[in-house]
Amino acid sequence: MDVEQFRKAGYQAIDRICDYHDSLRDRPVSSQVEPGYLRKALPSSAPTEGEDFQLIADDYQKYIIPGLTHWQHPSFFAYFPTSSTFEGILAELYASSTSNPGFNWSASPACTELEAVVMDWTAQILGLDKAFYNTSEVGGGVIQTSASDSVLVATVAARSRYIREHPHVAMEDLVLYTTTQTHSLGKKAGLVLGLKVRTLEVTAHDDFALRGDTLKVALEEDVNAGFHPFFLIGTVGTTSSGAVDRLDEIADVAKHYPFLWLHVDAAWAGVAFVCPEYREAYQLPAINKYVDSFCTNFHKWGLIHVDGSCLWVRHRRHLTDALDVTPEFLRSKHGNAATAIDYRNWHLGLGRRFRSLKFWFALRARGVNGFQKYITDCIRLNAKFAQHIYESDLFSVVTKPSLAMTVFRMAPKSLPHLGTPELNALNRGFHARLAARSDIAITQTDLNGVFCIRMVIGAEKTVEGDIEHALALMKDEAMVLVRNWEGIGGGRRGRKTCVVPSHSH
Ligand code: PLP
């Protein structure tokens, strides 16, 4: 492709991207294709001769778009959101136009310097303590690929700190702590690094938050058994219910274990700190005071494209002590003199994408007010949804709504005698009916044996009418199940049969 062909194809790409975004509301939310659809449609090998780009661009529309789930669709309420903003698309375009791996400051000074700046900007808008700013030159922030990478990097740093301080401790005696509600990233870090992981129980009574007493008992047991607690993952905004671990209590226990690294995973909820009114309830003061590292994914609920996981550490040297491997060919004047950051020593890979550009574009284009408005709009819509669930005769809220998430389930007042197994069966049927529809995407979870539905609001295009539409179709689907249950069980001893549709809408 020469420059003029690129210009033409580029204009067409922008036009098609605009059309795609304009037509989102009319598209099915979830892809309707069957597994293997693409292999059947595409040739079994790459072409020997290069093809005309128009053909390739048309095939993207024909084969790829139908296989996409549209996460920006106004009726996408599944998982946690991710963003695609026009500012971000342009940033990604510019970043790819100068493709470079920016691992050292000298490899491309702007990449490193912009990352250091936007990590301070984001720290500032979230209200993080200045100790985490890059300008502190003690702590600092770095953009990682994912929250899983962030926790892995923090674990490596914590392990290396622990072993440095306790050179005679065997790696197999180190223990990493998670709870039953921690994202799988905790177990994965243990798996990758070959570390023992202890999973602590949390209860519905405590809103699925880790309490200090539970931690205290576990740490004492492990130390008495000859193990070495070295890493704890606390969560602010768990995946299943948006729970917030009691970081104040945890810190009170952890202070007796000076080399126990506290990492807070706030992959989804952390961006809500942009609104000062949520800082207290979601434990920002404890994060600022106690934690060694903190992560939030701006690429989830923070108007940044995948990938943009922000990791801040209180002491950057723990990262660089653990991860600095510098052969001659990576040496540079400023790296040697430590007068500039070489981000390759702050993460696992060497080369890195120019991710800070999309942060810079989005932060400037939206401003703090734009970010706050987006977050509060989502929370307001969720409050509206939750209110309907509270008032409903068909549904009930399972855990207190958290920011823009409501966890609920069918609990029809007309079927008051159903126990947990029957309600779980009913709700599995309910979820199956929703999952079979193409006009909504919503996901399920299990909270200590209770099957429930997670409603998460995050698409920028979602408005009140979309919430009303979601509620209406949920009621329709729930009523089919209630009628079926009443029909076969008289509403008293209903059999665990649910009508799962073969149709899709
Ligand atoms: N932490 C929490 C609380 C999450 O909900 C998720 C994903 O939804 C993750 C971590 C994983 O994020 P990532 O895909 O960036 O590793």
Side-chain angles (χ1 to χ4, degrees):
M1 183 180 279
D2 64 25
V3 73
E4 286 313 318
Q5 288 167 325
F6 171 68
R7 196 186 304 276
K8 184 167 162 245
Y11 289 147
Q12 183 191 56
I14 298 288
D15 279 342
R16 288 185 170 183
I17 289 167
C18 292
D19 293 345
Y20 168 77
H21 278 266
D22 273 349
S23 66
L24 263 177
R25 190 176 283 285
D26 305 322
R27 293 175 182 269
V29 191
S30 326
S31 169
Q32 302 299 296
V33 300
E34 294 294 330
Y37 89 99
L38 199 53
R39 189 163 283 283
K40 276 191 216 137
L42 300 187
S44 55
S45 53
T48 308
E49 300 295 337
E51 294 178 322
D52 183 63
F53 189 76
Q54 188 60 56
L55 192 64
I56 303 169
D58 290 348
D59 280 354
Y60 170 77
Q61 303 287 330
K62 188 166 165 195
Y63 296 118
I64 304 300
I65 292 220
L68 297 178
T69 291
H70 303 296
W71 286 58
Q72 272 62 56
H73 194 290
S75 293
F76 183 90
F77 305 116
Y79 308 106
F80 281 135
T82 189
S83 303
S84 173
T85 63
F86 293 124
E87 300 88 331
I89 294 170
L90 291 171
E92 291 288 57
L93 190 61
Y94 281 121
S96 63
S97 74
T98 63
S99 185
N100 70 66
F103 43 82
N104 275 351
W105 177 88
S106 55
S108 243
C111 299
T112 298
E113 298 222 356
L114 189 61
E115 184 158 337
V117 168
V118 298
M119 285 303 293
D120 283 1
W121 282 15
T122 45
Q124 206 175 359
I125 69 170
L126 298 184
L128 283 185
D129 193 271
K130 287 198 170 100
F132 293 105
Y133 290 16
N134 285 307
T135 46
S136 76
E137 295 191 9
V138 178
V142 54
I143 308 174
Q144 305 274 342
T145 310
S146 68
S148 306
D149 288 67
S150 290
V151 99
L152 198 60
V153 161
T155 313
V156 171
R159 180 179 68 175
S160 132
R161 176 180 76 166
Y162 199 92
I163 296 296
R164 216 170 29 252
E165 295 294 330
H166 308 85
H168 303 299
V169 169
M171 292 266 193
E172 60 265 30
D173 289 336
L174 298 179
V175 188
L176 182 161
Y177 296 83
T178 67
T179 80
T180 54
Q181 297 301 310
T182 307
H183 188 270
S184 56
L185 50 61
K187 282 206 172 112
K188 204 174 247 187
L191 199 69
V192 171
L193 299 171
L195 295 165
K196 236 179 225 63
V197 176
R198 180 161 178 182
T199 303
L200 306 174
E201 293 294 330
V202 291
T203 63
H205 178 261
D206 287 330
D207 289 331
F208 298 97
L210 176 61
R211 304 295 306 264
D213 285 347
T214 309
L215 178 66
K216 183 169 184 287
V217 170
L219 294 177
E220 285 171 2
E221 275 175 9
D222 286 346
V223 168
N224 288 339
F227 293 114
H228 294 260
F230 86 105
F231 197 80
L232 169 78
I233 302 172
T235 308
V236 168
T238 58
T239 314
S240 280
S241 68
V244 183
D245 287 337
R246 295 291 298 268
L247 301 179
D248 43 359
E249 293 182 7
I250 290 170
D252 205 40
V253 174
K255 70 180 181 212
H256 302 293
Y257 301 80
F259 296 100
L260 176 63
W261 181 295
L262 297 186
H263 175 82
V264 167
D265 173 34
W268 165 67
V271 292
F273 291 145
V274 75
C275 303
E277 62 271 34
Y278 299 111
R279 291 180 182 167
E280 190 83 29
Y282 285 78
Q283 305 255 325
L284 183 66
I287 290 167
N288 276 336
K289 205 157 161 198
Y290 303 117
V291 309
D292 295 285
S293 52
F294 170 73
C295 169
T296 188
N297 282 358
F298 268 74
H299 70 238
K300 277 190 164 46
W301 195 21
L303 293 174
I304 297 295
H305 287 234
V306 170
D307 50 353
S309 177
C310 296
L311 172 69
W312 287 275
V313 289
R314 198 176 290 276
H315 295 286
R316 62 171 78 171
R317 80 184 151 79
H318 294 319
L319 284 186
T320 53
D321 284 354
L323 293 164
D324 183 353
V325 180
T326 305
E328 183 56 35
F329 54 81
L330 290 176
R331 292 196 181 283
S332 65
K333 186 173 131 198
H334 292 289
N336 292 352
T339 47
I341 289 176
D342 284 341
Y343 269 128
R344 69 186 161 84
N345 299 325
W346 295 47
H347 73 144
L348 297 180
L350 175 72
R352 49 210 324 277
R353 292 188 348 98
F354 188 9
R355 290 179 285 229
S356 51
L357 201 60
K358 59 193 172 194
F359 281 74
W360 193 47
F361 278 24
L363 286 163
R364 292 184 61 186
R366 303 298 180 102
V368 179
N369 290 344
F371 272 74
Q372 287 176 337
K373 180 174 181 321
Y374 164 60
I375 295 287
T376 50
D377 280 352
C378 293
I379 294 174
R380 180 182 50 77
L381 289 174
N382 182 55
K384 197 129 223 146
F385 176 81
Q387 190 57 36
H388 281 278
I389 297 294
Y390 276 122
E391 290 165 2
S392 163
D393 286 344
L394 282 171
F395 304 112
S396 77
V397 165
V398 178
T399 54
K400 200 163 67 113
S402 179
L403 299 169
M405 179 192 325
T406 299
V407 181
F408 71 104
R409 64 176 178 162
M410 279 186 71
K413 291 213 166 59
S414 62
L415 301 172
H417 305 298
L418 301 188
T420 302
E422 287 85 6
L423 278 173
N424 281 351
L426 189 69
N427 278 283
R428 280 184 190 281
F430 177 56
H431 178 253
R433 291 189 69 85
L434 294 178
R437 298 185 66 115
S438 60
D439 54 355
I440 186 167
I442 193 160
T443 40
Q444 77 288 6
T445 194
D446 180 298
L447 282 169
N448 287 8
V450 173
F451 185 91
C452 19
I453 313 290
R454 304 162 69 256
M455 173 85 173
V456 186
I457 294 162
E460 267 203 290
K461 287 187 161 51
T462 304
V463 292
E464 219 162 302
D466 300 303
I467 304 299
E468 282 157 15
H469 173 69
L471 280 160
L473 69 85
M474 284 175 193
K475 280 181 194 158
D476 287 349
E477 296 294 4
M479 279 313 296
V480 174
L481 291 169
V482 168
R483 279 195 290 272
N484 174 54
W485 205 286
E486 286 171 343
I488 56 183
R492 289 182 307 280
R493 266 191 283 277
R495 288 188 359 233
K496 288 174 245 161
T497 312
C498 289
V499 185
V500 178
S502 55
H503 65 279
S504 71
H505 295 244

